[in-house]
Amino acid sequence: MKKFDKERVLLGLAAPLLAIVAAFLVTALVLAATGKEPFSAFGIMFDYGVKSDSQVYIINKATTYYLAGLAVAIGFRMNLFNIGVDGQYRLAAFFAAALGGALTLPGFLQIPLIIITAMIVGAMWAGIAGVLKVTRGVSEVVATIMLNMIATAIIGYLLQPGRLGHLDSAGTKVSTTPLPESARFFDFPTQPDPVWGFLIVAVLAGVAYWFTLSRTRFGFDLRTVGQSGSAAEASGVNVKRMVVTSMLISGAMAGLIGMPTLLNDSYEYSGDFPVGIGFTGIAIALLGRNHPVGIALGALLWGFLERGTGKLEFEGYDKEIVGVIQGVIVLCVVIAYEVVRRYGLKRQQRQVGEKLAAQARNSDNQEVSA
Amino acid sequence: GQSSTEAGGSDEGKLKVGMAYDVGGRGDNSFNDSAARGLDKAKGEYKAETKELTAKSGETPADREQRLASLAEGGYNPVVGVGFAYKDAIDKVSAKYPKTTFGLIDSASEQKNVASIVFTEEQGSYLAGVAAALKSKDGKVGFIGGVDLPLIKKFAAGFRKGALDTNPKADVTVQYLSTGTDLSGFGAPDKGRAAAKGMLDKGVDVIFAAAGGSGAGAIEAVAAKPGTWAIGVDSDQAKDPALAKYSNSIMTSVVKNVDSGVFDLITSVKDGKPKTGTNSYSLAEDGVSLTTTGDHLKDIQAKLDEAKKKIVDGSIKVPTTL
Amino acid sequence: MRRGTVHALVGENGAGKSTLMKILYGMQKPDEGTISVNGEPAVFHNPGDAIDRGIGMVHQHFMLADYLTVLENVVLGSEKLHGIGDKARQKIREISDAYGLGVRPDVLVEDLGVADRQRVEILKVLYRGARILILDEPTAVLVPQEVDALFDNLRELKAEGLTVIFISHKLGEVLSVADDITVIRRGTTVGSADPKTVTTKQLAELMVGSELPSPETRESTVTEVPMLTVDGLRLTATDPDGVVRAVLDGVSFTIHKGEVLGIAGVEGNGQSELVEAVMGMRVLDTGTVTLDGDDISRTPTRRRREAGIGVVPEDRHRHGLLLEAPLWENRILGHVSEKPNSKGAFLDLKAARADTERIVREYDVRTPGIEVTAASLSGGNQQKLIVGREMSHQPKLLIAAHPTRGVDVGAQAQIWDQIREARREGLAVLLISADLDELIGLSDTLRVMYRGRLVADADPASITPEELGSAMTGAATGHLEHPADSAPEDEAR
Amino acid sequence: MSATATSTPPPAAPKVSGGKGGRSRLSLPVVLLIVAGGLIALSAVRAITGAQDLTSAGQISAALSMAVPIGLAGLGGLWAERAGVVNIGLEGMMILGTFFGAWAGWQTSPWIGVLAGVLGGMFGGLLHAVATVTFGVDHIISGIAINILALGVTTYFAKLWFNTGEAAERGGSPKQSPPSEDITSITVPGVSDWLHSLEGRHWFLVSDVAGILGGLVTNLSLLTIVAVLLFAGTFWVLWKTPFGLRLRSCGENPIAAESLGVNVYTYKYIAVIVSGGLAGLGGAFLSLVTSHIYNEGQTGGRGYIGLAAMIFGNWRPGGLAMGAGLFGFADALQLRAGGSSVHALLLLLTIALVALGAWKLYRKSYLTAAISLVIAAGTLVWYLGTDTVPTEFVSATPYVVTLLVLSLSAQRLRMPKADGMRYRKGQGK
Ligand SMILES: Nc1ncnc2c1ncn2[C@@H]1O[C@H](COP(=O)(O)OP(=O)(O)OP(=O)(O)O)[C@@H](O)[C@H]1O
Ligand SMILES: Nc1ncnc2c1ncn2[C@@H]1O[C@H](COP(=O)(O)OP(=O)(O)OP(=O)(O)O)[C@@H](O)[C@H]1O
Ligand SMILES: [Mg+2]
Ligand SMILES: [Mg+2]
């Protein structure tokens, strides 16, 4: 059986590697076709990506992406497509920032309060889609897309001077009231730039995700629903409740996405708070195959690509190439995973069939000789 | 490991200017382009070495910090952040590079080594309002804002005040194309067109569109209805090749002369007396103005000059919010 | 095969009958060998080729699109013949009348019962002008009366000069309708038989190479202690049009310790819903379910299973297994909250694995190990795993829905033995099966379900499948008495 | 997938009405009656509130041009899903359409641009087909990947192609293409003016009808006419031809289709590529008709909205057209008159809710009735107490309405039975 496993690991690694190689090939072709020299571009990206400040940047970026990947992955493990992570984290970060700006408590109270607010808001927003799905049969894909748009409108309405918005002194930027010093999360004093302390929370979230899914009854039930809703139902899982619960958890996790930025970086929610990370999360969850370690690697890869292409612009390339690389990676990776999955399944069936046939032959022979 | 920028080291003596554009970057026929013109001028006159980087949509404050830091670290001085989105990033990065002068367009920073360059958009818009009210047949004028951001609201406020001061019976319709954090209103000409048509259908005959890329749609709609006027924004839109077909319908454009702000800053650094604090480019120093391409303002120029004088001497205070 | 005959193909489960037919029909490619039609060699790359050569097939599982009309289902793929409009409709009516199929072209297939669907399938084949008709287990889902009607249709087809290939496990049927019989085993032809001379017993032995096991239960172990009591059960469902219909109504019965209660009925008469109601997967409208003295009518499924309900589901792929998960995870499925699978809120992977090994050993699940996915096991081995899993938790009540469907004779006997053994120790069994012999042989009490109601009961010691069949179509109700003298003829499978 | 093959027969309890009775499909007279009722209510609201723009020709014309891209995207979704492939990549295919449409459009003629946009979309469709049909990737996942890829590729090439050389001189920028020529618009001569004057009278109902008709005959882009024809054509092809029957059978039961000699892969490929082409056309419409340039982010999620409109329309062209029309109407209303027209609609909403409440009361579902009436009272208070609606609410209106409609009717919707399922050749048992 051990050998079996080793081959499975190999197969598991084959897919993402294939995809990344394919992506770089395609990108090289695109670069070459548009009259740029591809290999020095990759050289620049790589050299730059391994510099110490780049590493800090990548880790900080990856912290956010990792949380996004986890939030999406929870849904995916359930076969739920939470396209709404995007709206959930924005709404969550917005309310958390508004609350954080309004209060001045000691840090040990205020920071958890902000984080919990974000998680609750994210969970509630995702929960709407969950409830609509189980009670009214509305596809979560459509519901979460609508909710994303509605979240944008709500934030737009509330983020106005006179409501929850706060106009800066130059009169050009509205944001929530900036968080007081006490509400800022700690940094690791790395050089030259600090690594965000929220990394710790992300790591903990990853461990919790792994442990819950693979070591607890709840996680087993959740995965069961993801693999076969009908079998889960028959096995005693309350599928409807599980749908709502996992949407809530996914939303709560989504609530964390905006926190590294809010608590370690911007300290306020304004019009330029990052958008679209929910969709990045989808890409990263796909890349990491919903596995906590895989998602981490995916998040780091994304951070690396963004860092590296930032340098490309410095060297006269168009940094928009990063979109091409990322897009190709995602498309290749989903295809590669599927091909490998199917191949693995077929191969295993065949192996099992052959082994059993061999056993049967052996026993037949023995009977004959007996 | 090694830091990416350690090799940098600033070679004193040579003027190196770093520009960090907002989304859109050089070539946007608008705000960023205006800043780029200032840079180009410095390049021509001072033989400055330049480096231009551009923001992309959906980035985080950290991305902007990284961009500014890499320029500062690369020995570029001054480093200019184009757009108020750079405010927080400049606050942070300027503290790390005290010897570098930073320029911040459209926002104000308290840091010692930051020169904030702000414009009184409302004053330019006020003049546009005056022009609109004068040119309109029955005082129905419209304002189309891309997104209801404070910056755009400044335009709206000035425009409305100008129109009402000129014609107390004027009817000013204000319409935004998207709201809040949804910035799609800056890049949706179809929405601009629909909004403009809505106004035109109601008898509005002068429309001021401060809506980025969406403005093209509004101008197109106006051009399709004879006897109506559009007012452009940010750059002289009558000269925009993309709008060449409609240039006869563009009465004027409210421009912010970001280029002079940028050029002045570069000059001050070159002269060894870097600007700091808030540098307001108002109507008085032609920081904002109306363009006259096509000479459509000839008949009302006197009244405009009068309004300008009043603003400059302070007898008219233009509001910045509606 | 001769023209104008009915040629039967028999063989145990998984012998390769369907596979052979799929090759004939161009859905699979043979590795070697040739096919000749009317003396000419033929190569089929896809079903289209086979259709062109006049071969039509009615599949073991219906191949109908529910949301399309009968007309659309029939003309699909052969639109060139008569278009998709009125001409086609006319033609369908003609064929339907000619063979007495009674098919209405404009109803949605969704609204049809099994027998009607089957007739649509046959019409589909005839519409294409097929001269060779393959019927893969057409009778599996029909009651005897419907089977007779089908056979009448077949004889008519034969009279028209069509050739029919007929696959069935029910050897009695085979003997009554076939002109020739071919027996296959493990993918090769092992012999042929003449239906006029051969007996079902001989045929069966030819099929499996040994004597057939019988499901008969000898001694009775029924006690007086009620284990499961279902009283006044009513269950309604709302269809997409918002119409509320009762799928179960007034269902009451009691199963005692050590008793096997068999429910007979044509599929779709509420048996699945009954199982789901007892398992707690459906909310009852009225009625109570009592297990071992406790009212569990409102108890969730998980708790009912913990309380001692074991389930062998009717569709193991949908309800009994996680196909892409390893065997040990499948062992946890359904019993995640019980020992040895978990301790408190946490899984106990080690114990679960060890126990899976035990099940594999004790229940003779043929597998190279417990890390392989359930999908890579054969159907029978999957079923053995499920039975082993359910029996490992000492259930008080076992719900067994078609426990030996798609399972070979060896495994079948094993599963019957296990049920009997547990019954001896006081297990109550709710048995649902389409295999009437299994039902009669294994049950202590028999009830017949028709349109959501229990309409008849019978004594398994004296009832024949025919009598049961007539009750299943609603033709007979109440207590089915059997004339005492005539001993039931052995209608072996 | 065996689920599709082993369909369980329906419970045999007697059905109230046999055969086709009681199907959720509305008959034509009923639809017309509903439309008429809606029109009367709208007209009454206009008369009461004086929000003349509600049914003006300008409003309808704007609504139409806002609806067309959504409708085309939805139509793309319809083709794909009727063949059993969920296409959430419509957004990406639309982006390709806007980009390539504008790219070819500014250099040559707009009609060539349209063609390029369609081809761009078809390329996206092809990718989706390869991933989902050939490789069996989950449809949603593949769609998302395509959206990411399309955005990345167009952003990169926009910078390369629109910000250099002649393109830049003609007004291109990294985010924007140079403008292309107009596609001809037609106005039915006399009729349009006559309707316009009729509309100006503000007569109850008459002016409304005149406004609506006027909007439909004034300044109608030829491409809009093409879009309308595509709707009719889609209905005809999918429901009235053998090809359409085969295609739909792949969405209902591919295994059955395969067993009858239908090459399911081929049909799925065709459907998904056509789907991409339609989405691409929707994109080209955006960058060539409603504006003459490509702008980054121009699609603004319309691909997703198209998908929602299609579900809203129960996977049928007529319903989809209604859904797209609703979105277009709401968009146009918001852009043209902002708060005040939508404020008038509050009254319409009140009327609708009261009607719903009454109906539910009649059907004896008291809870729903009570909820509707309470909300109706709320909206009435809102209507009376304010005179405009914040623009943010207005812009969210279509999404909220979609959610509401879906949650009221999702159970009645019926998607193709094998929609979204992964199908492999020869998997039938
Ligand atoms: N290409 C193949 N290679 C190996 N084994 C195969 C292949 N195709 C089918 N089989 C196996 O051959 C066996 C024959 O299955 P088939 O469905 O033909 O049996 P059957 O006689 O129709 O049984 P049933 O009575 O259950 O319908 C099955 O075990 C199937 O998994
Ligand atoms: N290509 C292949 N080559 C060899 N063996 C295969 C292949 N594909 C599947 N098998 C094996 O064939 C079996 C398929 O199971 P299937 O359910 O079809 O068996 P079956 O003959 O119907 O058995 P049962 O009678 O127990 O249902 C499995 O053991 C599987 O591992
Ligand atoms: Mg078979
Ligand atoms: Mg089998």
Side-chain angles (χ1 to χ4, degrees), chain C residues 13-14 316 378-380 406-407:
Chain C
N13 285 118
R316 56 179 167 261
S378 77
V407 161

Side-chain angles (χ1 to χ4, degrees), chain B residues 79-97:
Chain B
V79 171
V80 184
V82 183
F84 65 83
Y86 279 103
K87 154 104 172 44
D88 292 344
I90 282 195
D91 279 349
K92 280 194 193 161
V93 177
S94 61
K96 270 201 254 169
Y97 300 93

Side-chain angles (χ1 to χ4, degrees), chain B residues 38 105 117 119 257-266 275 281:
Chain B
I105 315 276
I117 301 166
F119 297 86
N257 299 316
V258 183
D259 48 349
S260 32
V262 170
F263 183 72
D264 290 353
L265 174 69
I266 298 172
K275 287 187 180 234
Y281 284 77

Side-chain angles (χ1 to χ4, degrees), chain C residues 11-20 28 60 137 169 406:
Chain C
E12 56 180 321
N13 285 118
K17 305 180 295 289
S18 301
T19 308
L20 177 61
Q28 276 185 8
Q60 190 168 0
E137 296 197 34
H169 287 295

Side-chain angles (χ1 to χ4, degrees), chain D residues 365-398:
Chain D
S365 35
Y366 296 110
L367 185 67
T368 333
I371 295 175
S372 320
L373 292 177
V374 167
I375 302 179
T379 50
L380 187 64
V381 169
W382 186 2
Y383 171 74
L384 296 173
T386 56
D387 48 24
T388 180
V389 175
T391 41
E392 292 83 2
F393 291 176
V394 182
S395 62
T397 311

